[in-house]
Amino acid sequence: MGERGGSVRTRTTVGATLVVGVALVAAAVALVMLLRAALTEDVRLAARLRAEAVADLIAATEPSSEISLGDTDEEFVQVLAPGGEVVSSTENVADRPSVVALEPGESRRVEVPFEDDPFLAVARGDGGLLIVVGRSLDGVIEVTRTVVGLLAIGFPLLLLVVALVTRRVVGRALAPVEAIRSEVDAISSSELHRRVPVPRAGDEISRLATTMNRMLNRLQRGQDRQRRFVSDASHELRSPVASIRQHAELALTHPAASSPKDLARTVLDEDLRLQQLVENLLLLARMDERGEARLRPVDLDEIASDEVGRLRRVDGRSIDTDGLSGGRMVGDPRQLGPLVRNLLDNAVRHARGHVALALFEDGDQVVLRVDDDGPGIAQESRERVFERFVRLEDARDRDSGGSGLGLSIVAEVARAHGGSVELVDSPLGGARFEVRLPRAD
């Protein structure tokens, strides 16, 4: 796994080591202080017990008798009269004045002339006498030094272990990320079928890999759809162009076989077909971009009436509009117009003689219904007719004038407005297309 000085692995290792190091230093300081305090308290307790023993010895001895307090390098004892005169002492402080001036019950750290290490002295009052007992702190100092030495050696080793373990654990945790990065880096627009590896841990990285694979699925579907769209659009555009060229070549080669009027009529028909196809393609392209819709309050019945008037002028077909009533919604007229137009064009194209248009409000929905008395659509083909460039063999041939985009536009517009479209059998004997769209509040 290639890394730089500022990599996540390095930063995490340094951060974890610093945190553990600070915690260990704080713990070590607290440990040493508590240990020294505990050992010092043990020395103080031992000195007080020794003072009590001396007081008991004084109480059990005749006043005129000498008191033997023994001798040891770890301790000194002085019994002082009220004036500060040394009455009795251990041999290591014999013939010496008072080592330290203390009040009864007081304790203090003192330096003694016969030892290099400090002593802890405590004082006890007993019958006008002051008993001063000092015990060496050499053991406390030695234990403290030993513990500090062990900590000075152990803590760096422990920090080294923490750094190595953290680096290794983070490296193993980031290994799937590196595998994902390498795979994503290798994926190009021509290799969208590839997927990143998903770790089995089920953690955040696994969810990230799963999300990226879903994104790649969407990109692949979008690319496949775009390629099919471009291929189908090219094929559809080539057909009218080829037809115009064929008639133009025929007119040039055999002038007597084709009149200018026939050629003009052919060119006009194919041009209209080409214009409609381009308009449909542009509309679908805008809808694919998402965000082209300009929503505002719309009276769908006005759009439907305009489209019915257009068809009557162009085709002369009678369309039943008895079921046309009010239908107000929020939408984009640029998209709702082609929705109604394509539904009516489809019905007129396949009807035998009767087309009915109905528009009404049903609860919180506006329902647009178009019926025809044509041959209808088989149950197994009712989903396919809403796909782009799909024509059914029995009713969707090129000679009927369709481009295979009209019903897909209907489905796209309905979906973009939060609605739906359904294809069922019509009471007239043909097909019924029912579009449901949200009604304006």
Side-chain angles (χ1 to χ4, degrees):
M1 177 178 174
E3 60 178 284
R4 300 185 297 265
S7 67
V8 174
R9 186 177 183 181
T10 301
R11 293 198 304 270
T12 304
T13 302
V14 172
T17 305
L18 287 176
V19 170
V20 174
V22 171
L24 288 178
V25 169
V29 172
L31 173 64
V32 171
M33 294 179 64
L34 292 175
L35 177 63
R36 184 170 58 187
L39 294 176
T40 302
E41 187 61 30
D42 289 342
V43 173
R44 182 179 291 106
L45 179 60
R48 286 173 178 171
L49 292 175
R50 174 63 169 153
E52 291 178 3
V54 171
D56 293 340
L57 179 61
I58 293 173
T61 305
E62 294 294 334
S64 59
S65 302
E66 292 185 0
I67 302 174
S68 176
L69 299 179
D71 185 31
T72 175
D73 293 337
E74 301 295 326
E75 175 187 82
F76 74 86
V77 180
Q78 287 183 321
V79 181
L80 306 178
E85 179 185 357
V86 177
V87 176
S88 179
S89 66
T90 54
E91 294 182 3
N92 53 1
V93 289
D95 302 327
R96 293 179 181 272
S98 175
V99 175
V100 60
L102 295 174
E103 296 294 330
E106 189 180 359
S107 64
R108 186 184 303 167
R109 181 187 175 108
V110 297
E111 301 290 338
V112 295
F114 55 87
E115 283 289 340
D116 295 332
D117 296 323
F119 276 60
L120 180 66
V122 299
R124 174 187 172 86
D126 184 77
L129 298 176
L130 183 65
I131 303 172
V132 178
V133 177
R135 291 191 65 87
S136 174
L137 293 174
D138 180 61
V140 176
I141 296 174
E142 288 297 327
V143 172
T144 304
R145 286 176 179 173
T146 302
V147 172
V148 171
L150 292 175
L151 293 177
I153 297 174
F155 276 14
L157 294 178
L158 182 58
L159 287 178
L160 179 61
V161 172
V162 169
L164 293 177
V165 172
T166 303
R167 185 176 180 82
R168 181 173 180 82
V169 170
V170 174
R172 291 175 63 88
L174 293 179
V177 177
E178 175 63 18
I180 293 173
R181 187 203 64 78
S182 300
E183 185 65 22
V184 171
D185 188 56
I187 294 176
S188 63
S189 59
S190 61
E191 295 181 319
L192 290 179
H193 62 279
R194 298 175 62 169
R195 297 294 179 267
V196 300
V198 180
R200 299 180 180 179
D203 53 9
E204 292 82 355
I205 297 178
S206 298
R207 293 195 291 274
L208 172 64
T210 302
T211 301
M212 294 189 68
N213 282 335
R214 288 201 296 265
M215 178 193 69
L216 290 172
N217 286 335
R218 292 193 297 270
L219 291 176
Q220 183 181 14
R221 288 196 299 269
Q223 186 188 63
D224 292 343
R225 183 178 181 181
Q226 182 181 25
R227 286 176 176 174
R228 289 195 301 270
F229 182 81
V230 172
S231 176
D232 293 338
S234 300
H235 181 73
E236 295 294 331
L237 291 172
R238 187 165 56 245
S239 179
V241 172
S243 178
I244 293 175
R245 179 179 178 180
Q246 178 183 0
H247 284 81
E249 290 178 346
L250 179 63
L252 290 174
T253 307
H254 305 285
S258 176
S259 66
K261 184 177 181 180
D262 293 336
L263 178 60
R265 184 181 298 110
T266 300
V267 172
L268 179 60
D269 292 341
E270 295 299 333
D271 180 71
L272 291 174
R273 178 180 169 188
L274 187 62
Q275 179 183 356
Q276 182 181 8
L277 177 60
V278 171
E279 290 176 352
N280 289 336
L281 290 174
L282 289 176
L283 177 59
L284 288 173
R286 285 197 300 267
M287 296 189 64
D288 285 341
E289 292 176 0
R290 299 287 190 269
E292 286 292 325
R294 299 176 182 176
L295 302 181
R296 62 181 179 85
V298 176
D299 290 318
L300 193 58
D301 54 318
E302 294 183 1
I303 296 177
S305 298
D306 292 343
E307 293 299 329
V308 169
R310 178 190 62 84
L311 268 180
R312 286 171 176 170
R313 290 192 304 270
V314 174
D315 188 79
R317 183 73 60 94
S318 175
I319 300 176
D320 183 3
T321 58
D322 292 340
L324 186 63
S325 62
R328 189 165 179 80
M329 59 170 296
V330 176
D332 187 345
R334 299 177 306 167
Q335 297 180 4
L336 294 173
L339 179 146
V340 179
R341 183 182 313 127
N342 282 293
L343 283 177
L344 291 175
D345 286 345
N346 178 78
V348 169
R349 187 179 304 120
H350 303 292
R352 292 188 177 93
H354 192 190
V355 174
L357 172 65
L359 177 68
F360 56 92
E361 294 182 353
D362 181 15
D364 59 350
Q365 293 181 324
V366 174
V367 181
L368 176 67
R369 184 179 292 165
V370 179
D371 293 272
D372 67 69
D373 60 352
I377 299 176
Q379 185 71 35
E380 62 273 9
S381 301
R382 291 181 180 179
E383 292 294 331
R384 293 181 55 239
V385 295
F386 296 108
E387 298 177 7
R388 298 180 182 183
F389 299 107
V390 170
R391 296 185 183 84
L392 303 184
E393 294 180 358
D394 56 349
R396 298 286 194 278
D397 58 356
R398 284 185 176 82
D399 293 337
S400 64
S403 64
L405 289 176
L407 295 180
S408 65
I409 290 177
V410 171
E412 293 281 355
V413 172
R415 190 159 42 242
H417 285 74
S420 62
V421 58
E422 184 180 11
L423 172 58
V424 296
D425 292 328
S426 172
L428 301 180
R432 164 177 286 182
F433 289 87
E434 184 174 279
V435 179
R436 290 183 173 268
L437 299 169
R439 183 174 63 88
D441 294 334

